[in-house]
Amino acid sequence: MEFKQLQRYMAIVDHGSFLKAAKALGISQQALSASIRTLEREIGVTILDRGPGGVTRPTPYGRILLRHARAQEAARLRALRELHALRDARGGAVSMGIGESFASEIIATAVSRFHEARPDIKISLIEGYSEDLLEKLRRGQIDFLAGSIGFDVETDDLVQMTFYSRQDVVVARRGHPLADMENPELDQLAHYTWLVPASRPSDKEAILNAFA
C-alpha cells in the first residue's frame, strides 16, 4: 500500500466520482481506476461502491481505510510544517548550557530578545559547572555553552568566543598575614596554602599558570 494510492482514494471520496477526482489530480480516469483496483487487490477488500451516474461512495471497509488515510495525511502535513519551521528558523528547540559564573543578566536579556524574535522555538537552559557542560556540548547533548573555561577549547568541532572577562580575587581570613596587604604580588602569595573547588579543575589550572 503506497501513500499515493491513499491520496488518490481520498480524492475520489472527496469529489464523489472517479471523473472529478481524475481531473483534480491531473491524471486520466483509466490510470486512477487502475490505481484503485491495484489497491483493492493488495488489501483484499472492496473500498468503493460505484453507483449509477459515476457516483462513488466508500464501503464499510473503505470508511475504515479512509480514517487511517486521513490520519496519515494529517501526520504528513504536521511533519512538513515542523520541518519547514525548523528550516526557516521559526520552530524547533535550542538547548543552552549556563556555566556557574556566567552573568545571569546577559542570559536573561538574550533569551528574552530571542523569544520575541522566534516565539515558536523552545529554549531549554541547563545549569552546571562549565567543565561538565563542555562534555555535554562535545556529546551533542546541548547546542552551545555560555560559561567560564580557563583554557582554549577551540578545535575542529568547537568554536570559542570571548564575551567579557572577569577578575578573580584572593580571599583570606581575618588576621591572616596577607589581610593587611593592599596589593600583594604573586611571589608573596606563593608560599601559602590555596583552596580550590575539586569540581573546578580550570580554576586550579588558572592559578598554576599564573604562578608559572
Side-chain angles (χ1 to χ4, degrees):
M1 186 188 307
E2 297 179 0
F3 187 65
K4 181 182 290 186
Q5 293 173 312
L6 296 179
Q7 287 179 311
R8 291 177 175 179
Y9 169 61
M10 286 187 290
I12 295 170
V13 175
D14 291 340
H15 289 88
S17 72
F18 278 80
L19 179 60
K20 293 179 181 178
K23 289 181 179 179
L25 293 170
I27 61 176
S28 69
Q29 187 174 345
Q30 291 76 14
L32 182 57
S33 296
S35 178
I36 296 301
R37 284 196 301 272
T38 300
L39 176 59
E40 289 180 326
R41 188 166 55 250
E42 289 177 356
I43 61 180
V45 295
T46 300
I47 58 176
L48 288 169
D49 278 332
R50 298 158 178 83
V55 177
T56 306
R57 295 184 176 87
T59 67
Y61 297 111
R63 286 193 290 272
I64 293 174
L65 180 63
L66 182 63
R67 186 174 70 249
H68 291 284
R70 301 280 196 212
Q72 287 195 36
E73 175 67 6
R76 183 186 72 88
L77 293 176
R78 284 197 303 271
L80 284 175
R81 284 195 296 269
E82 288 188 25
L83 290 170
H84 292 167
L86 183 59
R87 179 196 64 188
D88 300 333
R90 297 196 311 268
V94 175
S95 297
M96 178 179 179
I98 310 297
E100 70 294 332
S101 60
F102 203 86
S104 59
E105 62 271 17
I106 295 180
I107 299 299
T109 301
V111 169
S112 177
R113 291 178 180 176
F114 185 83
H115 184 66
E116 289 179 1
R118 299 287 188 270
D120 294 330
I121 296 181
K122 179 182 178 181
I123 305 173
S124 298
L125 303 181
I126 302 173
E127 296 181 290
Y129 285 117
S130 296
E131 290 81 6
D132 297 334
L133 292 172
L134 180 61
E135 291 306 310
K136 292 182 182 294
L137 180 63
R138 293 189 186 279
R139 293 195 296 265
Q141 294 175 308
I142 58 177
D143 296 305
F144 61 96
L145 161 64
S148 174
I149 304 296
F151 50 90
D152 185 13
V153 298
E154 188 157 333
T155 60
D156 291 338
D157 60 337
L158 295 178
V159 175
Q160 180 174 332
M161 298 175 60
T162 301
F163 288 97
Y164 64 91
S165 60
R166 61 181 176 83
Q167 283 188 316
D168 290 325
V169 296
V170 177
V171 179
R173 60 172 172 78
R174 291 183 181 275
H176 193 281
L178 296 174
D180 296 328
M181 299 180 63
E182 292 187 3
N183 297 296
E185 300 293 333
L186 282 177
D187 59 352
Q188 296 173 293
L189 305 177
H191 304 293
Y192 292 95
T193 299
W194 287 72
L195 300 180
V196 184
S199 55
R200 293 303 315 282
S202 62
D203 282 356
K204 179 179 178 181
E205 185 174 351
I207 293 172
L208 293 176
N209 288 339
F211 280 109

